[in-house]
Amino acid sequence: MTDEKKKERPKLIPYRVPMPEQDPKARGANFKEVATGYTVEEALKEAERCIKCARPQCIKGCPVQVPIKEFIELLQEQDFQGAINKIKETNILPAVCGRVCPQEDQCEKVCVIGRKVEPVAIGRLERFAADWEREHGQKAEVVVAPPTGKKVAIVGSGPSGVTCASDLARLGHKVTMFEALHEPGGVLLYGIPEFRLPKDIVKEEIDALTDLGVDIVTNAVVGKLMTVDDLLERDGYDAVFIGTGAGLPNFMGIEGENLNGVYSANEFLTRANLMKAYDFPNVDTPVKVGAKVVVVGGGNVAMDAVRTALRLGAGEASIIYRRSEEELPARVEEVHHAKDEGIRFEMLTSPTGVVGEDGWVTALRCIRMELGEPDDSGRRRPIPIEGSELDVPADIVIMAIGTGANPLVPQSTKDLELNRWGYIVADEKTGRTTREGVYAGGDIVTGSATVILAMGAGRDSAAAIHRYIMGEPEEELAEDVSSEGLKQA
Amino acid sequence: MATKILEKRLIRDPDVFYFKLDAPHIARAANPGQFVIVRLHDSGERIPLSLADINPEEGTISLIIMSVGKTSAEFVSMNEGDTIRDLCGPLGQPTHINKLGKVIVVGGGFGVAPLFPIARGFKRAGNQVIAIMGARSEDLLIYEKEMGTVCDEVLVTTDDGSKGIKGVVTIALERELEKGDTDLVIAVGPAIMMKFVAFTTKSFNVKTMVSLNPIMVDGSGMCGACRVSVGGKTRFACTDGPDFDGHEVDWDLLMSRQRMYLSEEKESFDAWKARHQHMLVEPS
C-alpha cells in the first residue's frame, strides 16, 4: 500500500457521542422520556463518524431499507430537512423507529466501521432528524394520487396497519382503518411506555394519516362488529389488510396465577399507558403497585413493565429470568437503563408457582436454574437445580412471557389458513393470504417481532394490494401461498 | 365516535335506569348474551355491560344501569340527548340458543335485564320458558312485566315475602326442577346467586349456563384481566365467554377477583360524590 492511499483512508473516530439522558434517580419518579436526544452539535459530531463507505452495509440491515448513508451525508451538510425527507422516502415513522428499533441488531450491527470501533449511532441520528423536523421543519405538502375509486379496509392501527394505510392512501385509494380500542396506535399506544416513546409522537403520526384522507373507526372489533367477509361482500371493500398483532397474553399455567395482584404485562401496561392509571383518581382506571413488584420475563416488554412499576411507586422492582443475563432478549440499552434506575435482576431463576393469602399474591415461588447444552434456539437450555426452591416476596407479579395470536379475526374469516400457533399464513413478499383480496402482515403473521418488521410488512402488502385492486399483473400472486406452497418456496 | 342516548327511563326509584342508545352497527351484529364496553368520557374507565335489548330494525341497543359506583353514578346522571364517548361491541360469544323443550332463566337484582333478550331468544326458538326473578323485596324488583311478555311463566321470589314466594331464587328453582322436565337452566346476576343456582341444579343434573361478570379492560382478549377458572382451566370471559358451564366455574376465584379494586373503587366514588353532591341518587 502506498503512502498516498494510506492518507486517503478516513480516520476512524472510536467512540460514539453518548446519548443525553435524564438522571437515573430523577427519571425513576417521572414518565418523561429517558433519552433526551442529540443536540445539533452532538448530531453533527456523530454524523462525522460515518465514513460514507463505497459499499454501505447498513442499508441492508434495515428491514425497510432506509438510505442511511445518504441521510447521514445530508446531516453532515447540515441539510436537516433534506435528511428527514430522505429517511421518509422509505420510513413513515422515523421518530418512532429512531427510538424503539433494535438498531444494534440491524443497521448498526453491520455498520462497516463497527468492525474496528463503535458503529455509527444510526438510530440516534434518525431520531435527531425526525425530532428536528417536528420542532423546526416545514410540514411537507401531502401528495396524494387522484382517487382510484377503490376501497381498502385496514384491520388494526398498529405499525403495520399505519404503514399500509399511508401507502395506499397516497396511491389514491379510499382507506378505512378499524381499531378495537378507543384510540388508534396499537402497541405504540397501549404497550410502549411514554418514557420510551412519547404519545404525542404517536398522535402526530396518526394525524398524518387523517391528513392523507384515511378514515379511522375506533371501538370497532373486527370479527365481532363485522367480519372480514362482511367488509368484502357487504360493505364493498376491494381488499382487506389484517394487521391485528399478537395481542393475546401468555400465562405460565402455574398454580396461583389467577390470584389478585397477578397481571399480564399487557394489562399492566394498558392500564398505565392507554388508561393513564398513573393519574388515578383523576382518571377512573386504577392499577395496583405494591412495595415489591416482580416481573417475569426478559424481553423489552418485561423491561417496560418493570420500569413502569418503578415509576408508579414500587419500592422494589425486579426482573426474574430463567436464563442468564447474556440471553436476555431485551435491547442492551433498555437493560442498561433499567439497571441505572435501580431495577434488580434475578437471573437463572424460574417461577414454579404463585403463593397467596386471602386471595392476594404474597410471593413468587421459584427454582434456581443452571445452563446446560444449547436448545433449538441456539441458547443454552436452563435446567432446574434440585433443592434450590425459594420464595421471592411479591405484592404484584407481572407476567411478561410473550403473547400469542388473538383469534377474533382469524377464526371469524372464511378460507383463511392459519399455522399451528394460530398465526395467519401469508406470502412473505406480498402478505397475500389464502383468501383472495385478504392480506396480512406484522405480528399476526410472524408472531411477536419488532415495530420496523411490521412496518416493512405493511409496506409490502400495500404494494401488493395496489397491484391486486388495480388489476395489475403480480408475479408472486401466481404462486401457491398455502403453507405447503411456502414450504416448497 | 360518540354515541347518543335516545331514551332514559327510571326503572326503579331512585337508582336503576333504562337507557336506549343509538348504535345501528352494534344492533345489527349483536345477539343475546353478548355485552358492550362503555367509556363515558376521556378520563373514564372501560366497563363491560350486558345488553338488555337489541333492536336491529330501529338501530338501537338498551342497557340497564344501577348506580353502584363512580362510573354507574355518572352514567345515570346523563340524560336523553347526551353522548357517551366510547361504545364498543358486541363482545363475547352469544348465548347458544336452540330448541330444547323447557328452559328456566334465573335472574337476581338488576341482573335480570340481560335475561330479557335471552329469554325472548329461547321463546322464539320454540321452547317453554320459565323465568325466576329474585329481589330483596317487591319494590326492588325490576323488569317483571317485560319478562312476562317473552316467558310462559314468571315466578317471583322476595327475601321478605312482600311478593311471590318468600325466600331466594333457589327455592323456586328447586320446586321447578323437581318436576323433572327441565332441559336447561340459565342464570344471570350476582356471582353469589349464580353460584347457588349452579349448586342447586347440580343435584338434579340439569345443564346450567351462567354469564360471568369479571372486571375487564379491553374486552377483546388482549389483557387477561377477566380470566376465570372453568373446569380447572384458565379462560378469558371476554372472548371465551361470558357464558360458561355453571357446574365447572371456580366461584370463589371469580368473587375474589371481582373485589380486586374495592378500595380504589371507593376512593374514586368518594371523590366524585364530594364534587357532585347535587347529582347523586342515593341507593335505597
Side-chain angles (χ1 to χ4, degrees):
Chain A
M1 203 175 282
T2 65
D3 277 359
E4 206 178 84
K5 268 200 175 162
K6 252 185 192 165
K7 263 181 214 156
E8 276 176 15
R9 182 183 284 179
K11 193 163 169 274
L12 298 182
I13 305 166
Y15 300 109
R16 12 165 90 183
V17 177
M19 180 59 130
E21 288 169 4
Q22 261 198 81
D23 172 69
K25 271 245 165 60
R27 75 187 189 228
N30 70 50
F31 276 89
K32 286 185 211 141
E33 210 174 359
V34 166
T36 50
Y38 279 159
T39 61
V40 170
E41 293 71 31
E42 286 164 332
L44 291 174
K45 203 171 153 199
E46 182 60 28
E48 279 309 316
R49 295 184 66 236
C50 175
I51 58 169
K52 296 179 266 184
C53 317
R55 281 179 300 145
Q57 300 300 303
C58 46
I59 186 167
K60 295 183 194 160
C62 174
V64 295
Q65 285 87 47
V66 167
I68 294 166
K69 178 180 138 183
E70 286 78 7
F71 100 72
I72 294 183
E73 221 168 340
L74 289 161
L75 286 181
Q76 290 171 347
E77 291 160 16
Q78 302 199 30
D79 179 2
F80 303 136
Q81 187 68 54
I84 188 64
N85 292 347
K86 184 53 81 178
I87 295 171
K88 283 193 164 173
E89 283 176 12
T90 69
N91 181 353
I92 67 151
L93 303 174
V96 174
C97 293
R99 287 170 167 82
V100 302
C101 257
Q103 292 100 5
E104 63 278 13
D105 289 325
Q106 298 175 347
C107 52
E108 294 176 11
K109 189 179 189 176
V110 292
C111 170
V112 169
I113 71 165
R115 292 172 203 163
K116 297 251 168 70
V117 294
E118 288 186 347
V120 175
I122 299 167
R124 294 171 187 176
L125 292 176
E126 180 182 35
R127 171 182 164 171
F128 167 79
D131 287 355
W132 182 90
E133 189 194 34
R134 290 173 60 233
E135 279 160 37
H136 311 282
Q138 301 281 324
K139 206 168 178 187
E141 207 178 307
V142 180
V143 187
V144 176
T148 60
K150 302 288 184 185
K151 277 170 69 177
V152 183
I154 309 282
V155 184
S157 66
S160 70
V162 165
T163 310
C164 193
S166 168
D167 282 6
L168 287 168
R170 283 169 208 269
L171 289 164
H173 306 302
K174 183 66 212 157
V175 178
T176 306
M177 190 159 77
F178 297 94
E179 165 56 44
L181 290 167
H182 55 262
E183 300 250 14
V187 71
L188 303 176
L189 195 71
Y190 74 74
I192 304 176
E194 176 82 13
F195 58 82
R196 212 151 67 81
L197 178 64
K199 299 307 154 221
D200 284 351
I201 291 174
V202 179
K203 197 175 173 303
E204 279 174 34
E205 304 298 356
I206 299 291
D207 289 347
L209 281 187
T210 316
D211 291 346
L212 285 170
V214 173
D215 283 333
I216 301 174
V217 184
T218 52
N219 298 316
V221 180
V222 174
K224 289 288 172 192
L225 185 60
M226 72 286 268
T227 62
V228 168
D229 298 277
D230 289 336
L231 292 171
L232 288 168
E233 289 156 18
R234 182 189 70 192
D235 301 339
Y237 287 95
D238 298 288
V240 175
F241 174 77
I242 303 173
T244 48
L248 200 74
N250 291 339
F251 287 92
M252 295 187 74
I254 54 178
E255 195 165 337
E257 210 171 10
N258 292 333
L259 283 166
N260 285 343
V262 182
Y263 284 109
S264 72
N266 264 11
E267 182 185 354
F268 186 77
L269 290 170
T270 299
R271 284 178 180 272
N273 297 331
L274 177 73
M275 304 310 294
K276 305 183 174 71
Y278 53 83
D279 200 19
F280 180 87
N282 295 321
V283 302
D284 297 340
T285 306
V287 67
K288 291 273 187 189
V289 183
K292 287 190 164 65
V293 177
V294 173
V295 177
V296 180
N300 288 321
V301 175
M303 299 305 144
D304 286 346
V306 78
R307 296 171 69 198
T308 297
L310 184 80
R311 284 160 173 77
L312 288 170
E316 192 177 280
S318 318
I319 288 278
I320 297 258
Y321 181 57
R322 64 197 183 112
R323 300 177 195 255
S324 74
E325 192 170 330
E326 216 168 287
E327 287 88 15
L328 277 174
R331 294 187 66 194
V332 175
E333 185 183 308
E334 302 307 328
V335 175
H336 174 74
H337 280 153
K339 284 190 165 174
D340 282 355
E341 289 163 14
I343 303 295
R344 292 180 58 232
F345 283 73
E346 285 278 357
M347 298 293 101
L348 289 164
T349 306
S350 183
T352 57
V354 185
V355 186
E357 214 180 282
D358 300 330
W360 282 87
V361 56
T362 54
L364 188 64
R365 184 148 295 162
C366 298
I367 188 163
R368 298 288 189 194
M369 313 292 276
E370 60 188 349
L371 293 178
E373 295 301 308
D375 61 13
D376 296 346
S377 71
R379 299 176 298 179
R380 292 176 64 194
R381 185 193 303 274
I383 303 163
I385 302 171
E386 223 172 290
S388 69
E389 289 83 0
L390 73 157
D391 281 358
V392 179
D395 302 298
I396 295 293
V397 170
I398 300 169
M399 294 294 174
I401 53 168
T403 51
N406 186 315
L408 289 185
V409 175
Q411 284 180 2
S412 62
T413 308
K414 272 187 275 177
D415 304 327
L416 196 63
E417 191 178 326
L418 310 177
N419 70 18
R420 64 190 168 111
W421 297 282
Y423 294 111
I424 298 172
V425 174
D427 178 67
E428 216 176 291
K429 288 200 190 79
T430 63
R432 190 195 178 213
T433 69
T434 50
R435 172 75 188 273
E436 192 183 342
V438 178
Y439 294 74
D443 285 3
I444 191 61
V445 172
T446 58
S448 301
T450 58
V451 169
I452 189 76
L453 280 172
M455 288 176 53
R459 163 142 297 166
D460 292 344
S461 284
I465 289 170
H466 175 69
R467 289 190 294 264
Y468 168 71
I469 56 185
M470 299 309 283
E472 289 172 16
E474 162 83 83
E475 268 172 45
E476 288 95 329
L477 289 186
E479 282 173 25
D480 177 8
V481 301
S482 69
S483 52
E484 274 309 300
L486 287 180
K487 257 180 248 154
Q488 286 158 15
Chain B
M1 213 169 48
T3 299
K4 198 168 177 186
I5 297 172
L6 297 176
E7 189 185 331
K8 177 189 184 185
R9 213 166 63 217
L10 182 66
I11 290 259
R12 190 190 74 193
D13 201 31
D15 56 350
V16 182
F17 290 84
Y18 168 96
F19 286 91
K20 186 185 273 186
L21 309 179
D22 178 25
H25 294 102
I26 295 177
R28 176 172 64 174
N31 286 296
Q34 289 189 297
F35 64 93
V36 290
I37 291 234
V38 165
R39 193 178 73 124
L40 293 179
H41 47 72
D42 276 335
S43 57
E45 61 179 337
R46 296 171 62 97
I47 58 160
L49 294 165
S50 299
L51 292 170
D53 203 1
I54 305 157
N55 192 332
E57 290 78 31
E58 205 180 67
T60 62
I61 60 164
S62 305
L63 304 171
I64 304 281
I65 312 293
M66 176 159 78
S67 176
V68 290
K70 195 230 174 189
T71 299
S72 53
E74 277 183 305
F75 201 142
V76 303
S77 72
M78 296 176 82
N79 291 305
E80 282 175 18
D82 289 350
T83 56
I84 291 167
R85 178 73 178 76
D86 295 292
L87 178 70
C88 179
L91 297 168
Q93 305 290 337
T95 298
H96 188 64
I97 291 174
N98 51 354
K99 187 173 175 191
L100 296 163
K102 180 175 167 182
V103 177
I104 302 178
V105 297
V106 187
F110 84 118
V112 299
L115 270 182
F116 175 73
I118 294 171
R120 185 175 56 193
F122 276 101
K123 184 70 196 159
R124 282 178 184 166
N127 294 283
Q128 183 197 355
V129 181
I130 296 180
I132 299 176
M133 303 170 58
R136 285 205 306 278
S137 66
E138 182 180 8
D139 54 328
L140 294 177
L141 196 67
I142 64 165
Y143 244 55
E144 184 197 353
K145 204 174 73 217
E146 288 83 351
M147 288 299 278
T149 64
V150 295
C151 296
D152 294 281
E153 199 179 345
V154 178
L155 302 171
V156 171
T157 68
T158 49
D159 294 2
D160 61 1
S162 52
K163 176 149 195 186
I165 302 159
K166 184 175 190 310
V168 290
V169 288
T170 47
I171 293 175
L173 178 61
E174 214 161 315
R175 286 184 198 169
E176 275 304 312
L177 292 172
E178 272 161 7
K179 295 176 186 167
D181 57 349
T182 304
D183 296 286
L184 175 71
V185 171
I186 292 188
V188 184
I192 189 75
M193 184 213 83
M194 294 191 283
K195 175 182 175 173
F196 282 104
V197 166
F199 187 74
T200 304
T201 58
K202 178 91 177 167
S203 54
F204 290 89
N205 204 18
V206 173
K207 187 176 176 188
T208 301
M209 297 303 286
V210 293
S211 178
L212 302 189
N213 46 357
I215 292 168
M216 295 185 185
V217 183
D218 67 291
S220 59
M222 190 267 273
C223 82
C226 66
R227 58 198 194 277
V228 291
S229 177
V230 182
K233 276 195 191 134
T234 294
R235 312 288 300 274
F236 288 4
C238 68
T239 49
D240 300 326
D243 292 359
F244 293 100
D245 182 340
H247 297 150
E248 302 280 330
V249 171
D250 181 340
W251 294 104
D252 295 341
L253 177 74
L254 174 71
M255 288 185 267
S256 170
R257 289 187 62 81
Q258 284 176 334
R259 290 193 296 268
M260 182 157 166
Y261 297 98
L262 272 191
S263 61
E264 287 82 0
E265 284 162 13
K266 185 174 182 308
E267 181 186 353
S268 178
F269 196 19
D270 287 348
W272 185 83
K273 279 191 278 196
R275 291 197 306 273
H276 298 88
Q277 275 304 336
H278 60 288
M279 289 160 81
L280 199 64
V281 284
E282 282 295 347
S284 47

